[in-house]
Amino acid sequence: MNRECHTLKPVEDLGFQPINRGYNSVFRPNQLSIGLVVPIETYPRGPVPTLERHLERVQLAEEWGFSSVWLRDVPFNVPSFGDAGQTYDPFVYLGLLAGQTKRIALGVASIILPMRHPAHVAKAAATADVLSGGRLILGVASGDRPEEYPALNLPFDQRGTAFRESFEYIRQMSENSPTFENAFGSPNSGMDMLPKPTSKKLPLLITGGSQQAPEWIAQNGDGWMTYPRDTVMQARVIRDWRARVEALDGTDKPIMQPLYVDLTEAPDTRPQPIHLGFRLGVNALRAYLKSLEQIGMNHVALNLRFNQADIETTLKRLAEDILPEFTVCSD
């Protein structure tokens, strides 16, 4: 069941501005690709996953043709939030995955920029991009857990300004020996940061509003990570996004979302709502994903936290019954 078709299409066929291998393989105009949120396991009764077989399942996802895996940045296990994510530091984990996979895109959804110095983010992200051969997609966000900010002596109510300054710092660090003024620091005197990203810049996808104006997000992001909504409302959100992007210079940028899934054994199980997703059979999931593709969604990252069936069985079912509908092969 080895599927390599999800990877590299010719640049001229992409439609979106090409950036690196990961971005180019995951995002294609008018088409939907499917990824997975890490950890690829079930943990519905508590906030902390076991992380058993975590690497093996990422490698299995690559072998079976999923286009990406997505890590999360959860600095502290906040009780009110209820989810510790994959618990590992995302940049350290990216280094491991870069060396243990070959084709699958490595995404982060998303790095909390105000909680890290942008110089560290820029260097760590560029390193992960180079080590993976250009497979990094970096989601960035302003953060939504106010409990974390006092632990770092940071002001929660200023995270929007901090996000914007951090974003601009990271962007400029992709240039050769940049000189600029920024609230986080002002490199000068010909100093430089190495390594550089594989394709002149990092692909930066902005998550939600991140305390920024929609026009700023459309202008500065390489894409947008939004949240699950009913299809009618999501279609309106996507149209608004595309209109803002097109108004800038007539180009297009991708949009993606997560989706929690509890995939049943019975293929005809009708959708039943769960947290940010559905309990459903493969036929209903296929139809729902097709509806997202039709309204312009470019990527969905499936989260199996609430999945009741065996994870390997679920991955195989997804690979056999869902991915063929959303896989494009290059020549």
Side-chain angles (χ1 to χ4, degrees):
M1 206 191 313
N2 190 326
R3 301 181 194 274
E4 300 185 25
C5 300
H6 69 277
T7 57
L8 308 176
K9 284 176 62 67
V11 167
E12 60 269 20
D13 293 342
L14 290 171
F16 300 126
Q17 178 189 15
I19 301 180
N20 67 5
R21 288 179 62 207
Y23 182 93
N24 299 350
S25 66
V26 168
F27 299 120
R28 301 179 295 267
N30 306 311
Q31 296 179 25
L32 184 74
S33 60
I34 307 297
L36 294 164
V37 176
V38 176
I40 307 172
E41 70 169 87
T42 300
Y43 58 110
R45 296 180 178 83
V48 182
T50 66
L51 289 169
E52 295 176 358
R53 305 182 67 187
H54 66 93
L55 179 57
E56 179 183 343
R57 286 171 175 167
V58 170
Q59 293 170 328
L60 194 61
E62 177 176 70
E63 178 184 348
W64 284 356
F66 292 89
S67 68
S68 63
V69 288
W70 295 89
L71 315 183
R72 296 164 66 193
D73 186 16
V74 185
F76 298 92
N77 182 20
V78 179
S80 62
F81 182 62
D83 191 351
Q86 82 277 343
T87 74
Y88 300 139
D89 178 90
F91 287 120
V92 176
Y93 197 25
L94 281 169
L96 173 69
L97 296 182
Q100 295 294 320
T101 59
K102 296 180 180 179
R103 301 179 306 275
I104 198 165
L106 304 177
V108 185
S110 294
I111 292 295
I112 311 303
L113 290 189
M115 302 186 72
R116 297 171 181 260
H117 194 285
H120 298 154
V121 175
K123 190 172 185 76
T127 300
D129 186 54
V130 171
L131 290 176
S132 66
R135 290 184 285 133
L136 177 69
I137 305 174
L138 191 66
V140 291
S142 63
D144 58 3
R145 297 182 288 278
E147 298 93 335
E148 293 179 321
Y149 279 74
L152 297 176
N153 196 29
L154 294 171
F156 183 70
D157 59 355
Q158 296 178 28
R159 68 194 187 283
T161 300
F163 172 89
R164 191 166 55 253
E165 291 283 336
S166 179
F167 187 97
E168 293 170 356
Y169 189 108
I170 293 166
R171 272 287 191 236
Q172 293 184 88
M173 273 301 171
S174 294
E175 301 173 5
N176 293 321
S177 302
T179 297
F180 58 89
E181 299 292 326
N182 186 280
F184 283 99
S186 302
N188 53 47
S189 303
M191 64 189 298
D192 203 2
M193 176 176 284
L194 300 174
K196 298 297 181 186
T198 58
S199 301
K200 296 185 179 180
K201 72 171 186 176
L202 294 165
L204 298 178
L205 273 65
I206 298 172
T207 304
S210 289
Q211 308 296 303
Q212 308 304 314
E215 292 75 17
W216 189 94
I217 295 172
Q219 182 171 14
N220 291 277
D222 295 311
W224 189 35
M225 297 183 177
T226 188
Y227 305 101
R229 302 176 179 87
D230 72 79
T231 307
V232 173
M233 183 176 294
Q234 195 72 302
R236 186 180 307 119
V237 167
I238 293 172
R239 285 196 301 270
D240 291 346
W241 162 253
R242 295 240 141 81
R244 285 193 295 272
V245 171
E246 185 177 359
L248 294 169
D249 57 9
T251 61
D252 196 4
K253 296 179 181 180
I255 183 170
M256 63 169 285
Q257 69 159 74
L259 183 71
Y260 284 80
V261 168
D262 177 9
L263 195 66
T264 66
E265 183 175 351
D268 293 322
T269 302
R270 296 175 63 85
Q272 305 164 34
I274 61 173
H275 174 70
L276 297 178
F278 303 100
R279 182 176 192 268
L280 74 181
V282 290
N283 291 336
L285 178 59
R286 186 187 306 110
Y288 180 70
L289 292 173
K290 276 294 181 184
S291 72
L292 291 180
E293 183 176 59
Q294 289 167 3
I295 64 174
M297 188 65 67
N298 299 114
H299 185 70
V300 170
L302 301 177
N303 191 323
L304 300 179
R305 179 183 177 185
F306 302 114
N307 197 71
Q308 298 178 57
D310 173 76
I311 289 295
E312 280 72 18
T313 300
T314 297
L315 291 178
K316 184 177 181 181
R317 188 174 292 128
L318 290 169
E320 291 179 343
D321 297 336
I322 299 296
L323 293 189
E325 296 290 328
F326 304 98
T327 300
V328 174
C329 298
S330 59
D331 294 333

